[in-house]
Amino acid sequence: MSLRTPASLPPAYLAVGGVALLALCLFVKYRASRQHLRHPPGPRPLPLIGNILDLPKSQFALTWTKFGEQYGPLTWLTIPGRNFLVINSFEAAKEILEKRGSNYINRPRFVMMGELVGFQELTPLNQYDALWRTQRTLLKHALSAEVIEKDYAAILENSAQRYVERLLEQPENFAANLKRSLQENVIDLTYGKREDTKGRDYVQLNGKVMDIGNETMQGYLVDLLPALLYLPSWLPGMNFKKKAARWRDEIDNVRRTTFESSKESVLSGDPNLKSSYVVNCLQALYRKHDSIRTHQVEEQERAICHSGFSFFMAGTDTTQMTTRAFLLAMLLHPSIQEKVHAEMDKVVGSGRPPTLGDLKDMPYLNAVVLETLRWNPVAADGVPHAPLKDDVYNGYFIPKDTTVVVNSWGISRNPRHYSNPSNFDPERYLKPVPELDPREFTFGLGRRACPGVELGYRIVWMMAATVLWAFQLKREDGDNTPLNTDSERFHIWMLW
Ligand code: HEM
């Protein structure tokens, strides 16, 4: 047996070996260069627990804003097994999430809300995969301005008029009735009916699902320490597992009930079918395929089911909270309300309620709605993104899977973008050089930005226009209840 020396190896082996060696050297050099890069600045982490003590318990965006003042556009936080990047500047958010959008297209792990409770296929939480891409394609088409104006204008107008009737009947229940009217609105848009064949009320189902969503969205300890998943349920503090299992069944039931009922109606040719997201998507799908029992059709149905469920969930509280902020702004600023009334008298008059077609002729009301979106950004922390691979930004190392949060609240209060940012001032968008359009960040940025921006804007606009067409809003004489201060008012969402 003879030992083969390099000289005796065939040239092809040498070439392959050479390439492998070169690749190994490049990889080692790459890892070494990354390890020498710093993370962005941030509070000093403690041994073992990292920055756990620096994380706020509520009103996250206020803490992020303080970090922004101290550390600049980017703040780095770390806890065992998880890295966080908080972006406090609009420019950095655009550079990172938009210009590098194909990398920051993923979502981090949502342990409680996603994996345990079963929301992980909801479009906003879905990891970057084929199901998410199909959901986005379906939503993109259905939520364009043209489709909304063609297919959904009447739903938006009716729901706003119904709210006005309820306000007239029970002004004291203005908040509960707003919630109900917007739930009905989103249910009509999603499924085209309010109950299934067994009489199950979709408004009630929506309320239940939203309550579970809101409860789990605040973040659980297991989101920060996923290792807790492997501890037995009987240990103290593990009650979250039982809760999650119960919620999972309820969610699954609502998702299946609503989807299967629409599918049955489409397949049976129900004469009462109304134009709506799930119905229109299913009709288009079945028109294209002779058989509905193929893998391809089933995959599409799955995407319609989950994106419909997302529509149902993502469109309710966002529009409700923004409309509530609008009502509050009008109570606080009678002179702004007066200007809307003057515009309304000129464009609409008293003979008919406003329609979506009036939107383009009412620049002042548009500015008021924009200012509402900025004044009370309902997703103050957005929904976190996560990079698919390691990145370097301005010399800082951002590893794959970092939880990346944009502080929309901080951007909305940044005097570089807004003069007197705590003031409610629609005129800022009507100047020769308007201030930053809040839709650029309040609906998120990059490839995961909200596909419902056109619809969400129109729902709020329609509510605002119809309420001010019908009423003059003012506080009751003698009511001196203090109204919330600027930072107490905004509603916080937090998702890890
Ligand atoms: C005032 C109304 C609304 C606001 C302020 C809002 C805001 C947001 C924000 C901040 C995000 C996260 C974006 C990101 O990760 O960068 C989001 C995602 C999303 N929104 Fe909205 N939204 C509103 C209305 C709606 C409506 C009416 C729908 C109806 C379909 C909707 C559907 C979605 C969906 C499906 C996502 C997930 C996108 C993805 O992860 O790919 N939103 N929204």
Side-chain angles (χ1 to χ4, degrees):
M1 194 166 90
S2 68
L3 197 67
R4 292 184 77 159
T5 62
S8 65
L9 283 172
Y13 277 37
L14 284 176
V16 171
V19 170
L21 192 64
L22 185 66
L24 183 68
C25 291
L26 286 175
F27 178 70
V28 170
K29 199 168 161 217
Y30 167 82
R31 292 300 304 180
S33 71
R34 300 259 145 161
Q35 274 155 13
H36 283 109
L37 284 168
R38 282 171 306 141
H39 292 304
R44 184 185 286 276
L46 293 173
L48 295 176
I49 58 169
N51 293 109
I52 261 186
L53 302 180
D54 297 304
L55 295 176
K57 289 195 176 57
S58 64
Q59 298 224 315
F60 295 81
L62 295 183
T63 304
W64 304 155
T65 306
K66 280 200 197 110
F67 285 157
E69 286 156 14
Q70 203 173 342
Y71 302 109
L74 305 182
T75 304
W76 185 256
L77 295 152
T78 183
I79 57 170
R82 196 134 199 178
N83 296 313
F84 296 91
L85 175 69
V86 179
I87 305 181
N88 268 303
S89 111
F90 175 65
E91 292 78 5
K94 267 185 104 66
E95 285 282 325
I96 295 174
L97 298 186
E98 270 185 23
K99 289 215 178 125
R100 299 165 187 221
S102 56
N103 189 23
Y104 289 83
I105 198 168
N106 210 8
R107 294 292 191 203
R109 232 179 130 182
F110 297 104
V111 182
M112 182 66 177
M113 189 175 185
E115 294 166 26
L116 291 179
V117 176
F119 282 118
Q120 75 265 43
E121 281 140 339
L122 201 70
T123 325
L125 307 195
N126 204 145
Q127 295 282 302
Y128 174 65
D129 62 11
L131 176 64
W132 174 79
R133 285 194 296 274
T134 316
Q135 294 196 50
R136 281 295 296 215
T137 309
L138 292 164
L139 287 167
K140 184 172 173 222
H141 169 72
L143 295 171
S144 69
E146 299 77 57
V147 174
I148 297 166
E149 267 149 42
K150 180 168 73 62
D151 290 348
Y152 305 131
I155 297 180
L156 269 52
E157 290 158 9
N158 291 340
S159 119
Q161 287 163 26
R162 181 79 191 99
Y163 179 50
V164 161
E165 285 161 20
R166 286 175 172 155
L167 266 180
L168 206 55
E169 288 154 16
Q170 307 170 306
E172 67 287 0
N173 280 344
F174 78 96
N177 280 328
L178 177 65
K179 183 172 172 184
R180 182 169 183 95
S181 304
L182 284 169
Q183 282 175 319
E184 288 169 357
N185 179 52
V186 172
I187 287 163
D188 289 351
L189 289 165
T190 314
Y191 300 108
K193 55 180 170 179
R194 305 250 178 94
E195 57 178 40
D196 67 4
T197 42
K198 296 192 183 109
R200 274 175 291 205
D201 176 15
Y202 285 6
V203 171
Q204 229 181 351
L205 297 186
N206 174 281
K208 200 191 281 178
V209 167
M210 291 307 298
D211 288 348
I212 298 175
N214 286 332
E215 166 89 37
T216 52
M217 183 182 289
Q218 305 302 325
Y220 272 66
L221 193 58
V222 67
D223 288 304
L224 296 178
L225 303 169
L228 293 180
L229 275 177
Y230 306 106
L231 296 183
S233 308
W234 50 262
L235 278 179
M238 294 297 113
N239 200 26
F240 71 90
K241 289 189 176 182
K242 277 190 212 127
K243 256 200 220 172
R246 201 180 63 242
W247 285 339
R248 191 184 183 92
D249 287 345
E250 291 184 30
I251 299 298
D252 197 44
N253 195 309
V254 176
R255 191 172 40 227
R256 258 185 305 109
T257 302
T258 46
F259 177 74
E260 290 300 332
S261 172
S262 293
K263 183 174 164 181
E264 244 172 68
S265 302
V266 171
L267 290 176
S268 67
D270 180 349
N272 299 320
L273 268 185
K274 295 211 184 90
S275 183
S276 55
Y277 175 73
V278 171
V279 167
N280 297 352
C281 286
L282 284 175
Q283 284 177 329
L285 176 67
Y286 299 150
R287 264 199 303 273
K288 267 200 272 168
H289 295 267
D290 295 332
S291 163
I292 64 158
R293 291 193 198 287
T294 63
H295 176 67
Q296 205 191 351
V297 171
E298 278 166 15
E299 283 301 293
Q300 288 280 329
E301 284 181 342
R302 198 166 149 242
I304 297 169
C305 171
H306 287 291
S307 57
F309 196 56
S310 308
F311 201 128
F312 179 65
M313 282 196 75
T316 312
D317 272 7
T318 46
T319 52
Q320 193 217 139
M321 291 187 293
T322 312
T323 311
R324 277 184 72 146
F326 163 81
L327 297 177
L328 177 62
M330 292 304 96
L331 280 184
L332 290 174
H333 302 285
S335 63
I336 293 175
Q337 201 186 150
E338 239 170 68
K339 286 190 184 170
V340 180
H341 278 140
E343 188 178 63
M344 186 77 67
D345 289 344
K346 212 164 82 193
V347 177
V348 182
S350 57
R352 63 165 179 92
T355 65
L356 213 48
D358 296 317
L359 186 147
K360 61 182 184 325
D361 301 320
M362 300 188 67
Y364 192 76
L365 180 57
N366 276 318
V368 170
V369 175
L370 284 183
E371 184 61 344
T372 308
L373 287 165
R374 181 199 71 86
W375 190 57
N376 192 147
V378 294
D381 302 284
V383 180
H385 292 228
L388 290 167
K389 52 184 180 16
D390 292 354
D391 190 20
V392 177
Y393 173 76
N394 273 0
Y396 293 125
F397 180 42
I398 304 168
K400 173 181 187 292
D401 293 334
T402 297
T403 298
V404 181
V405 180
V406 177
N407 178 11
S408 292
W409 167 261
I411 297 173
S412 79
R413 293 304 185 267
N414 188 331
R416 279 198 305 108
H417 303 302
Y418 298 107
S419 51
N420 300 316
S422 292
N423 291 359
F424 187 92
D425 176 16
E427 310 281 341
R428 58 175 91 245
Y429 310 106
L430 300 169
K431 298 190 288 199
V433 181
E435 296 182 8
L436 178 64
D437 184 328
R439 284 172 296 189
E440 295 227 18
F441 61 92
T442 51
F443 288 89
L445 293 102
R447 308 247 179 123
R448 301 299 295 239
C450 177
V453 53
E454 299 289 349
L455 178 64
Y457 184 82
R458 280 167 178 74
I459 293 175
V460 175
W461 187 91
M462 202 61 245
M463 276 288 174
T466 314
V467 169
L468 288 196
W469 173 78
F471 298 107
Q472 184 187 14
L473 305 178
K474 52 181 189 166
R475 298 180 80 171
E476 249 180 288
D477 290 341
D479 174 9
N480 294 319
T481 318
L483 294 168
N484 298 350
T485 63
D486 191 38
S487 59
E488 280 169 346
R489 187 182 45 255
F490 75 100
H491 191 96
I492 303 293
W493 271 10
M494 191 60 216
L495 286 165
W496 292 114

